Amino acid sequence: MDKQKAFGLWSAVFLGIGSMVGAGIFIVIGQAGAIAGNMVLLSFVIAALIALLCGYSLSKLAVTYPSRGGIIEYLVQSYGEGFFSGSLGVLFYIAQLVALGAVAKSFGTYAATYMDGSVTPFYTNIFALLILGVFVFVNLIGASLVAKSESVIVIIKLSALALFSIAALFYIKPSHFTLADTPSMIHVLFSLGLTFFAFQGFSVITNSVEDMQNPQKTMLHSMILSIVLVALLYLCVTIAVFGNLTLPEIIKSQDYALAQAAKPAFGTIGFKLIAATALLATASAINATLYAVTQLSYTLAKDGDLPELYERNIFHNTEGLIISALLIVPMILFFNLGEISSVAAVIVLLIQGFTHTGHLFKIKETKANLMLILLAIAGTFSAAGFAIYYTSQKIEHFGLYIVLMFIFAFVLEVLLRLLANRTIKKQL
């Protein structure tokens, strides 16, 4: 029976790489570079180590509780069917919406570079809303064609990034890597939230556990391989960007720094090609994430943790798709890319932190290494803390945004229990 399952080692690795190398690197390399300067290389290394620790923890949970629900299932198993696990389930849904808003905003930013003049909020928002609407329509009528093309898209974007990195190496200016004007080491820690966000797709591998060959071995091995390979790619891309652009240039073009860095090697054509690759990567990420968010909201509604209307069918999908899309619209309109990326990064880190903390309650069942789980907890919460501290100085009321999201998730959970008599339940 195992041989008939879809995911072997390398297909699972490919799934993880495709999920991570989506919009993340196009969004964060300029944003994080503006904080840490050329020391962002170290930030990516530390973020990769935290991702490996988190991947280890999730792998152990996945083989112990093999469910397509992934993190949602692990939260309920760890904390029980109570208010806390229910609130975290709702918060995880919100986190996916914020991340999707960041990806859509990134698409809008890169698309706006094709317009005459500088990138403006008007064009950015128009293109972001347009691509969101396109994929809502695609998901309503059925996304089978786009789903089948995902592997091709992954190959194209990986090839483009590899070609860019190799070619750009010949134009690197060593003087850009001097430590003379480098921000202090504390800025490396401040940038961790964003660099970790570039890896955040690795958890998707756990959702394939029911279709995985020999998950006891394949899950952990595929998790480690995919994160290591993506880390190497990110380091090469970062060297290429910082070797070709000065820090002031990166800060000026931080929302599309990857495309700007292609100019010295390829000229304007290079800029347009990398921008096109970013559009392709973000578009595929929007389609895949929108589908995943719809399935997540449906599962939460079916399990009793979101209103019943999320379950209702509309065309070939559910009303949850429409509701989710409508909730993303104000994020696109009222947040800039830096703000929404920072919010998404922090929430992803906090959800990871709570998941690994919950793992401590089940460690006898998972037989995981206690020290590695503790390091995963320390890494995620520390990175989130540094990100909140730094971003609060740049974005007014940023900490309040995060607190309000937790309060909203808790209040919604309470209302669902009191008014609709709905509670989250274990799938296993």
Side-chain angles (χ1 to χ4, degrees):
M1 293 293 290
D2 244 11
K3 292 181 180 178
Q4 298 176 348
K5 294 191 174 180
F7 289 96
L9 175 62
W10 286 105
S11 54
V13 168
F14 198 69
L15 174 68
I17 292 174
S19 300
M20 282 184 274
V21 188
I25 188 65
F26 295 99
I27 296 174
V28 308
I29 194 166
Q31 300 282 347
I35 298 172
N38 55 29
M39 291 296 285
V40 77
L41 279 164
L42 180 58
S43 181
F44 272 112
V45 171
I46 298 173
L49 292 175
I50 296 174
L52 284 169
L53 291 166
C54 294
Y56 170 80
S57 176
L58 291 179
S59 296
K60 289 294 186 179
L61 287 166
V63 297
T64 306
Y65 307 108
S67 166
R68 297 180 195 278
I71 286 177
I72 293 289
E73 181 66 21
Y74 313 148
L75 289 170
V76 183
Q77 290 288 346
S78 298
Y79 296 108
E81 299 172 348
F83 283 104
F84 188 66
S85 60
S87 299
L88 289 179
V90 174
L91 187 65
F92 184 65
Y93 167 64
I94 295 172
Q96 298 305 303
L97 293 183
V98 177
L100 190 50
V103 176
K105 197 83 169 182
S106 180
F107 178 95
T109 301
Y110 274 94
T113 64
Y114 283 88
M115 306 302 292
D116 292 331
S118 60
V119 175
T120 65
F122 175 77
Y123 283 124
T124 297
N125 290 342
I126 288 295
F127 284 121
L129 292 173
L130 182 63
I131 196 64
L132 178 65
V134 166
F135 282 114
V136 166
F137 179 74
V138 167
N139 276 267
L140 280 174
I141 63 174
S144 58
L145 178 61
V146 178
K148 290 175 183 177
S149 66
E150 283 294 309
S151 59
V152 177
I153 293 172
V154 169
I155 292 171
I156 292 172
K157 64 189 178 186
L158 287 179
S159 300
L161 287 174
L163 178 63
F164 157 72
S165 299
I166 293 169
L169 290 177
F170 293 98
Y171 295 85
I172 281 177
K173 297 185 175 88
S175 61
H176 289 187
F177 293 99
T178 61
L179 300 179
D181 300 317
T182 299
S184 63
M185 277 295 296
I186 193 68
H187 285 79
V188 172
L189 300 178
F190 290 150
S191 67
L192 270 180
L194 287 169
T195 51
F196 181 86
F197 185 61
F199 289 95
Q200 62 95 18
F202 65 84
S203 62
V204 170
I205 298 176
T206 63
N207 299 106
S208 69
V209 65
E210 293 184 40
D211 298 315
M212 182 175 284
Q213 300 170 21
N214 191 14
Q216 293 288 341
K217 293 177 67 174
T218 304
M219 179 59 69
L220 181 58
H221 291 170
S222 61
M223 190 74 76
I224 292 172
L225 270 172
S226 60
I227 292 171
V228 168
L229 291 173
V230 166
L232 290 174
L233 175 65
Y234 286 173
L235 289 176
C236 290
V237 170
T238 304
I239 290 171
V241 170
F242 279 83
N244 283 273
L245 297 178
T246 63
L247 185 57
E249 287 173 328
I250 289 171
I251 293 172
K252 182 179 178 181
S253 60
Q254 58 183 283
D255 290 347
Y256 49 92
L258 202 54
Q260 190 69 23
K263 274 189 173 182
F266 300 105
T268 304
I269 293 176
F271 180 97
K272 298 297 184 185
L273 285 175
I274 293 298
T277 304
L279 291 177
L280 187 66
T282 50
S284 68
I286 290 166
N287 178 62
T289 308
L290 194 58
Y291 174 80
V293 164
T294 304
Q295 299 309 305
L296 171 65
S297 65
Y298 176 79
T299 300
L300 284 170
K302 192 175 180 181
D303 289 347
D305 208 40
L306 279 178
E308 288 181 273
L309 58 88
Y310 275 84
E311 298 180 63
R312 296 174 187 166
N313 290 326
I314 175 170
F315 291 101
H316 297 289
N317 216 300
T318 65
E319 287 189 21
L321 171 66
I322 305 298
I323 299 169
S324 299
L326 291 175
L327 290 173
I328 294 166
V329 170
M331 299 180 197
I332 291 173
L333 293 177
F334 300 116
F335 287 84
N336 64 40
L337 183 57
E339 291 171 342
I340 200 167
S341 299
S342 298
V343 170
V346 167
I347 294 180
V348 165
L349 277 164
L350 291 175
I351 290 292
Q352 286 278 350
F354 284 120
T355 302
H356 307 312
T357 302
H359 191 165
L360 293 176
F361 301 123
K362 297 295 180 179
I363 201 162
K364 288 184 178 179
E365 294 178 34
T366 64
K367 297 180 174 60
N369 183 293
L370 176 60
M371 183 54 65
L372 293 180
I373 304 304
L374 290 174
L375 287 172
I377 295 168
T380 49
F381 281 129
S382 296
F386 281 115
I388 292 171
Y389 175 80
Y390 177 81
T391 313
S392 294
Q393 299 177 48
K394 303 295 180 181
I395 302 174
E396 192 176 5
H397 308 309
F398 179 78
L400 182 61
Y401 294 153
I402 304 298
V403 171
L404 287 176
M405 286 187 179
F406 273 88
I407 293 173
F408 174 75
F410 181 77
V411 170
L412 181 57
E413 172 66 13
V414 170
L415 289 175
L416 286 169
R417 284 173 178 263
L418 294 178
L419 302 178
N421 194 29
R422 296 171 70 77
T423 58
I424 194 167
K425 295 179 178 63
K426 297 176 182 177
Q427 295 181 17
L428 299 173

